[in-house]
Amino acid sequence: GITVYDEFHTECEEYLYLEEKGIDTYYLQVKGFDEKFTVKAVEPKRFDSLEEWGYAQEQNGNTIAAQAFLREDGIMLEYYRDLTEEAAPLYEDRGNFEYTIIPNHYEMMNPRCVRNKDKKELRIEMVERKMNGYGMLVDGTAEDFPLEFYFSGFSGTSGEEHTISIPIPEMGAKLTENLPKAEFEYGVVEILSVERTGGLEFNYAATAKEGPRQMYAVQMKTVDEAGKTHLGGSWDMDGEVIHGEVNVNIDDIAENAVDIVLYNPSHWIEGEYNIIIEKPVEME
């Protein structure tokens, strides 16, 4: 089943005392006041699926469910995700550097919004992260229902990797011909140019194959003779072309080529989400 709950915020300790009274029972006291409140921990309400919890939509195996609650300061919309193995690493391990140097997180592009019954987009006042999802406070009232929650979709990745051999040009020279390609499940990566400066700078393009999953980027690394991994350095994107740099000491390489490992291929997973929230949840 799926458990939906708020994350505990340790900053509350600045204002509250929490004292254990017995099994699953606590005293809660606001600092500066004498009165204590008794708080009893109970088993969280569980749901067998997101569809059981709220208004849900599934696209290519990934499901989003949303609910909305009326508050004095607006509408709190919560949404949660049930992701496939290809999408989960990109959204559940956000602190991992290897996943964040490629623009595969929807927060970077802000493609989520809330519209009211008149198709007017409501202003998002606040966003807070929750376990497997988010809460968004939007500027609205009961008169705005039914709401439409729009989400543009997910990226995915896999453990697929390929090794290609890139020729090393003379210092200051740039190669643009007879450069290697690598074919992945959802696209083809083509090296467009290689330039030798302090390290190796290059441009590459990922051409997607037809289908519901379209590859758009890949990461690169080298492994030296001692087995040490050198990750790609800076990255930026100009249209469909990605520019990157491999941090490898060219002087330590005796050959006139260097092996580059292409890994962590990223692909868009087709399927936009348009979830209609008919009415707010009535608070118990």
Side-chain angles (χ1 to χ4, degrees):
I2 296 170
T3 302
V4 178
Y5 59 93
D6 285 338
E7 291 183 278
F8 177 71
H9 296 280
T10 55
E11 60 264 25
C12 293
E13 295 176 359
E14 182 180 348
Y15 309 102
L16 302 173
Y17 294 105
L18 192 63
E19 176 187 347
E20 189 171 354
K21 179 182 178 183
I23 299 176
D24 297 332
T25 304
Y26 302 85
Y27 283 132
L28 184 66
Q29 183 180 1
V30 180
K31 292 184 179 182
F33 294 86
D34 296 329
E35 186 176 1
K36 295 182 178 180
F37 301 92
T38 300
V39 179
K40 185 173 178 62
V42 298
E43 284 291 323
K45 187 175 182 180
R46 296 180 61 85
F47 302 89
D48 292 329
S49 66
L50 284 178
E51 289 85 353
E52 183 181 339
W53 173 76
Y55 298 94
Q57 187 176 359
E58 182 268 340
Q59 298 279 11
N60 287 306
N62 297 296
T63 300
I64 295 180
Q67 282 189 354
F69 307 83
L70 288 176
R71 297 188 356 178
E72 291 184 359
D73 53 351
I75 300 172
M76 175 57 73
L77 186 148
E78 295 183 0
Y79 70 93
Y80 295 89
R81 308 165 300 199
D82 185 11
L83 303 180
T84 58
E85 291 184 2
E86 63 179 333
L90 299 176
Y91 298 91
E92 295 176 359
D93 194 11
R94 296 176 49 183
N96 188 330
F97 172 77
E98 292 192 8
Y99 291 132
T100 56
I101 64 173
I102 288 179
N104 48 25
H105 292 311
Y106 62 87
E107 289 91 344
M108 293 183 179
M109 296 162 284
N110 196 31
R112 56 183 171 183
C113 68
V114 182
R115 303 184 182 99
N116 69 4
K117 63 182 180 182
D118 299 320
K119 303 300 181 181
K120 176 185 176 183
E121 186 171 329
L122 301 180
R123 185 171 66 252
I124 299 175
E125 304 285 0
M126 177 190 70
V127 178
E128 59 182 15
R129 192 178 181 193
K130 296 180 178 292
M131 185 65 67
N132 296 325
Y134 287 85
M136 300 190 305
L137 180 64
V138 299
D139 183 18
T141 68
E143 300 300 319
D144 288 301
F145 285 83
L147 301 178
E148 177 190 359
F149 175 51
Y150 170 80
F151 188 91
S152 70
F154 295 102
S155 294
T157 189
S158 72
E160 187 179 5
E161 62 178 49
H162 297 281
T163 300
I164 58 176
S165 181
I166 293 183
I168 300 176
E170 296 292 332
M171 180 62 72
K174 184 176 183 179
L175 302 178
T176 58
E177 298 180 353
N178 300 318
L179 296 175
K181 299 180 181 180
E183 183 170 345
F184 286 80
E185 182 178 4
Y186 301 124
V188 177
V189 172
E190 180 180 6
I191 305 298
L192 303 178
S193 66
V194 181
E195 184 175 5
R196 182 176 176 182
T197 53
L200 278 184
E201 295 189 20
F202 51 85
N203 291 318
Y204 78 89
T207 303
K209 297 179 181 179
E210 292 186 5
R213 290 164 174 79
Q214 291 111 34
M215 183 177 177
Y216 66 88
V218 70
Q219 290 177 247
M220 301 187 180
K221 62 185 178 183
T222 61
V223 181
D224 61 24
E225 293 180 357
K228 184 178 180 181
T229 299
H230 302 269
L231 296 178
S234 59
W235 300 83
D236 58 80
M237 194 168 187
D238 180 16
E240 300 300 320
V241 176
I242 295 181
H243 172 80
E245 179 178 355
V246 172
N247 299 319
V248 59
N249 190 345
I250 303 299
D251 297 332
D252 292 341
I253 301 176
E255 297 81 6
N256 58 0
V258 59
D259 287 341
I260 303 291
V261 180
L262 310 180
Y263 73 109
N264 252 2
S266 295
H267 56 268
W268 302 118
I269 303 172
E270 277 189 356
E272 297 179 329
Y273 296 80
N274 291 278
I275 300 174
I276 304 301
I277 304 174
E278 297 289 348
K279 58 184 180 180
V281 175
E282 294 185 7
M283 303 300 291
E284 297 180 355

